[in-house]
Amino acid sequence: MSCSILFIYLIRGIVLLENRRRMETLFSVAFIFCSAFTAGVQGDSLTILQAPEYVSFQKGDWPISGEKIPDMVALTMGFSVQEDLSWPGLRAGQLFQRPRANVLVVVRGVDSLALPQNVASYPLENPVPFNLDSVAETVHSLFAEDTPVVLQLAPSEERLYMLGKANAVFEDLPVTLQQIRSRLSQDGSVLASLPLNSLNRNAEADLLFLSEVQVLHDITALLQRHRHLAQDHSPDLYSLELSGLEELGRRYGQDSPQYRDATAILANVLQKFGEDVFGLYGDSAVVEVVTVKSFEAPLTRKSRSILESKQISNPGSPYNLAYKYNFNYAVIFNIVLWLMIILALAVIVISYNLWNMDPGYDSIIYRMTNQKIRLD
């Protein structure tokens, strides 16, 4: 029964009941029922796991659209966006103090995770596919000479997309299933510390989920070994897409023990991952987790090989394509165009006047000379 139908019966009850105490009781019961009904309907969510004090997230139930997630990430890092973000969940922060990293983890196949230690949580509406390519290009263009970490990873599709000079540090991350099987059998594997319970390390769907957990562990391990990447002044960007839960739900069902065990494991791993990254960056990092049951359209993203060492004109494209359209192009084009037209007209006018100039009347030099000749 929905809240609207319930309130229709409530109005009928008010007409029939004349006792004020009964009316108040009826209102209380209806309010409690609607609150329970609304709380029971859970949807996709955006959870802020970690954030420094100078990045102010307000607690509330303000929904944010999926297509606005890249703008939110850009604003937290101090970058400008094309359109103002009219979302009250993020307040304007300090101008000269920005986080040194932003980590966005997208978990597919689940609408919410039990992450009790968080800064704030917001409902996610219109879960359309999104990526952080625009933010990555901004980081790379502004800090090309430094060592920013720009890492976008999707183990489910065996994609690893990196920019910047810090690529060599993350080239050893396992991406393909063959690399993952090899990594899980090595020392330091997460299999030794995780309570697998009903999960089977030999099953394909279980292996994909465990590989994503292993990648999260390896990222923090690499950052601990290369702490200089987290201590420089250039901002870092991480975009991690995890779809192991989605595969487990498709294979075993969402009521299966495998899916429940994996959900609990991933919640604990993400909580620890956020704390580790936040500590490595000196409490100057923003860690967000987006949980979405399913996207409304397939997600596509450009990728390039991690073994590619050849420098190309556009580092974001494996085919040496031109850069993406820049919104400042129209402004620059108009400035150059009208400046050239004005200069051309000025040259034509000056040339015409010089050609038709009478030295005896239009030039002071010749006029002075003429008078001197007459006096002589």
Side-chain angles (χ1 to χ4, degrees):
M1 180 183 294
S2 64
C3 290
S4 59
I5 299 175
L6 180 63
F7 275 110
I8 291 174
Y9 285 104
L10 174 63
I11 295 172
R12 292 180 180 177
I14 292 174
V15 175
L16 296 176
L17 293 177
E18 296 180 357
N19 193 322
R20 183 177 179 181
R21 184 173 300 174
R22 292 183 180 179
M23 290 170 60
E24 293 177 354
T25 304
L26 189 59
F27 270 113
S28 302
V29 172
F31 179 77
I32 293 172
F33 182 83
C34 286
S35 300
F37 179 82
T38 306
V41 179
Q42 297 180 350
D44 305 330
S45 63
L46 165 67
T47 303
I48 311 299
L49 272 185
Q50 300 288 343
E53 296 180 355
Y54 46 83
V55 179
S56 180
F57 285 96
Q58 303 298 310
K59 292 187 176 181
D61 293 330
W62 299 296
I64 182 171
S65 177
E67 60 187 5
K68 295 297 182 182
I69 297 291
D71 290 345
M72 184 210 66
V73 173
L75 290 174
T76 58
M77 301 183 72
F79 302 142
S80 59
V81 294
Q82 297 296 331
E83 299 179 1
D84 293 336
L85 180 64
S86 57
W87 181 59
L90 177 63
R91 293 184 59 185
Q94 300 182 16
L95 183 61
F96 300 104
Q97 193 172 15
R98 292 297 177 182
R100 295 206 298 253
N102 190 293
V103 183
L104 176 66
V105 182
V106 179
V107 181
R108 298 169 56 178
V110 63
D111 50 13
S112 63
L113 288 173
L115 302 170
Q117 300 177 5
N118 61 72
V119 177
S121 183
Y122 309 98
L124 182 69
E125 63 180 11
N126 190 23
V128 296
F130 62 88
N131 55 60
L132 302 184
D133 290 347
S134 59
V135 186
E137 290 176 0
T138 302
V139 172
H140 181 64
S141 61
L142 295 178
F143 302 92
E145 299 301 325
D146 300 321
T147 56
V149 177
V150 180
L151 177 65
Q152 300 186 61
L153 177 64
S156 61
E157 301 179 17
E158 300 183 357
R159 288 186 288 108
L160 181 62
Y161 172 66
M162 298 183 296
L163 286 174
K165 298 181 179 180
N167 290 10
V169 175
F170 296 95
E171 284 184 352
D172 295 333
L173 283 177
V175 181
T176 65
L177 288 176
Q178 184 178 0
Q179 293 174 346
I180 290 165
R181 289 192 182 96
S182 176
R183 177 67 185 91
L184 289 175
S185 61
Q186 297 174 2
D187 295 335
S189 170
V190 295
L191 296 179
S193 58
L194 289 180
L196 297 182
N197 297 332
S198 60
L199 296 177
N200 183 7
R201 67 181 68 185
N202 296 320
E204 200 76 13
D206 302 33
L207 184 64
L208 173 61
F209 171 77
L210 295 173
S211 71
E212 295 174 346
V213 176
Q214 183 67 55
V215 166
L216 295 176
H217 177 270
D218 289 345
I219 288 176
T220 55
L222 288 172
L223 285 176
Q224 287 176 352
R225 262 186 283 167
H226 303 275
R227 289 181 176 268
H228 64 280
L229 296 176
Q231 296 173 357
D232 56 7
H233 67 279
S234 58
D236 299 337
L237 178 66
Y238 301 85
S239 176
L240 312 175
E241 179 187 331
L242 311 180
S243 61
L245 280 180
E246 187 178 34
E247 293 295 329
L248 288 174
R250 188 181 296 115
R251 175 72 180 274
Y252 302 109
Q254 297 184 359
D255 295 331
S256 62
Q258 290 89 345
Y259 184 85
R260 290 196 298 268
D261 293 341
T263 303
I265 291 174
L266 185 60
N268 294 330
V269 169
L270 286 177
Q271 195 80 62
K272 186 178 184 303
F273 174 76
E275 295 173 357
D276 292 343
V277 172
F278 191 67
L280 286 170
Y281 280 92
D283 298 347
S284 181
V286 180
V287 183
E288 305 104 342
V289 176
V290 174
T291 54
V292 57
K293 198 73 173 178
S294 62
F295 284 113
E296 296 180 355
L299 179 63
T300 58
R301 183 184 301 154
K302 296 181 304 179
S303 62
R304 67 170 179 163
S305 173
I306 61 174
L307 301 178
E308 182 181 3
S309 59
K310 180 182 178 181
Q311 296 295 326
I312 56 179
S313 60
N314 183 3
S317 171
Y319 305 110
N320 199 17
L321 301 178
Y323 284 96
K324 284 187 175 181
Y325 175 80
N326 192 335
F327 287 96
N328 294 325
Y329 173 79
V331 179
I332 298 174
F333 177 80
N334 276 275
I335 292 175
V336 174
L337 174 64
W338 292 108
L339 183 61
M340 295 293 292
I341 292 175
I342 292 172
L343 289 177
L345 290 175
V347 170
I348 293 173
V349 171
I350 293 172
S351 301
Y352 177 81
N353 285 284
L354 287 175
W355 183 264
N356 295 281
M357 184 178 67
D358 187 353
Y361 293 98
D362 299 332
S363 174
I364 298 177
I365 299 175
Y366 284 102
R367 189 179 301 170
M368 297 281 296
T369 308
N370 246 354
Q371 291 175 358
K372 187 176 180 182
I373 292 174
R374 288 177 184 176
L375 291 173
D376 292 341

